[in-house]
Amino acid sequence: MSRRLTSALASAALITLAAALPADAQSTATPTHASAHASAPKLVPVPVSLHVTSGTYQITAKTKIVVPSGTGLRAASYLASLLRRSTGFPLPIAREGAGIVLDASGGVGQGDEGYRLSVTSDGVLINADTGEGLFRGVQTLRQLLPAKVESHAKQAGPWAVSGVEIEDYPRFAYRGAMLDVARHFFSVKQVKRYIDLAAAYKVNAFHLHLSDDQGWRIAIKSWPRLAKFGGRTAVDGDPGGYYTQADYREIVKYAQQRFITVIPEIDTPGHTNAALASYAKLNCDGKAPKPYTGTDVGFSSLCTGKDITYAFLDDVIRELAKLTPGPYIHIGGDEAHSTKQKDYVKFIGKVQKIVHKYGKSMMGWEEIANAKISQDSVAAHWNPVTGTQEGTEPARSAAKQGVKLIMAPADRAYLDMKYTHKTPLGQDWAGLVEARRAYDWDPAKLITGVGESDVLGVEAPIWTETMKTLSEVEYMAYPRLPGIAEIGWSPASSHSWRGYRSRIAAQGPRWVAGSVSFYRSPQIPF
Ligand code: IFG
């Protein structure tokens, strides 16, 4: 997007925001975001524009969810199951009438995820151009309801929604959550829970880190020992596990019902001890290393000089691509400290060809941009940026090659970083990341030479070397994941810790109602 166009859009957004503000606020030179006003509902991510109106809509036993066309059915059934569980109301889904209307007949013109939401005493209307836009609007409607709507058991009413006019659409196309199921294995049920929690914050990508030194977690029919043997172990000798291909399909379907794209990662050429331990013939010396249950990184490498390595990757990527409706296969590429640079560069070129052969685009950690990669690839920036911008060459090289970047800086977005030195879980190699540090950064201003148009979006990875249960994962992810989802969704002009802290605080009672374990950061007035 040209700079002139961008600034025109930005000032238009400001005018919209100003217009959305009550008259007295319009006199100020730099209007605060409408959502900062006391009466405004506390939403995360904060919408582009929000205007509080009079009137209140009561959801009752007579309320219907109305979808004029089939496009709205996925969003409608998601909303129905959520509301039926906590209100106990039947909430039938009808094709016409009044009530909660989800209308995807278009006319919003803000991309696939844009929507308009209006609440009056007569009902709720969500307009969008697609079912995905309706689904994102439903997540906002959810937060307009009292926290007890998140309860898994029937609660007493009333179920009032106060009057509001909202226009909303994402700043960045990609808002991802990554879960490392290799260091510790998490069941399909646990993965579904993690996906469901993230869907509430308009996350639209779920990156599954399926293989590493400590475990291989996806059954590959043509190489059965990968899962059967390579899936046995986990960090600290904890129980391993793996997904059958039916399990993986179930995860993909569950994510799809939430308009979330699954991105499978097979980390290569480093982080491959589990695969190398499963097949001696994959090793340069023909000898299989022992399974590894420690937490070091960088000691393993596929044998980039052997043909069998590429036959292996061809089989793995072929099977995975068939199971993955999304456009990306993530091939890792990080911390290949045991692979010579020139071998690494050749390797990435070969793997990219295999990914293309099966109709997908390559995603990888930013080191892949040290190789020549095609413009449909995506590189994820993760290394902490020092003041002198050292370590940012790969990201800049990606931008120079026209390759889009996902921003996942370890010292901001890694949810396994301790909050404080007292945090019992997690690591601190990238520093301590309290709630504010995870929120107070701009993906388009982090790296010199990487601007708004180079950024595809943001991602919040959680590495599980130190986590064994889902509630431990939730404790490290909440409250930080919603903040990163807001950075990816909301306009840069709305980004302010002062405004955000009271809005994220209002999520606390919702997590209590939904039995989400979270860190009560002293920085947030929960
Ligand atoms: N870096 C490693 C991860 C994990 C992480 C823990 C990347 C891309 C440290 N690679 O982050 O495997 O060990 O914080």
Side-chain angles (χ1 to χ4, degrees), residues 366 381-392 395 407 409-411 437 446-448:
E366 61 194 328
H381 163 69
W382 65 278
N383 288 286
V385 177
T386 63
T388 56
Q389 292 278 312
E390 67 189 274
T392 57
M407 305 303 275
D411 57 341
R437 183 165 172 75
L446 207 58
I447 296 179
T448 320

Side-chain angles (χ1 to χ4, degrees), residues 428-439:
D428 59 8
W429 64 269
L432 298 174
V433 183
E434 247 286 9
R436 177 164 188 170
R437 183 165 172 75
Y439 177 79

Side-chain angles (χ1 to χ4, degrees), residues 287-305:
K287 292 197 193 78
K290 291 211 173 322
Y292 178 69
T293 59
T295 57
D296 291 344
V297 296
F299 59 87
S300 58
S301 174
L302 289 175
C303 187
T304 54

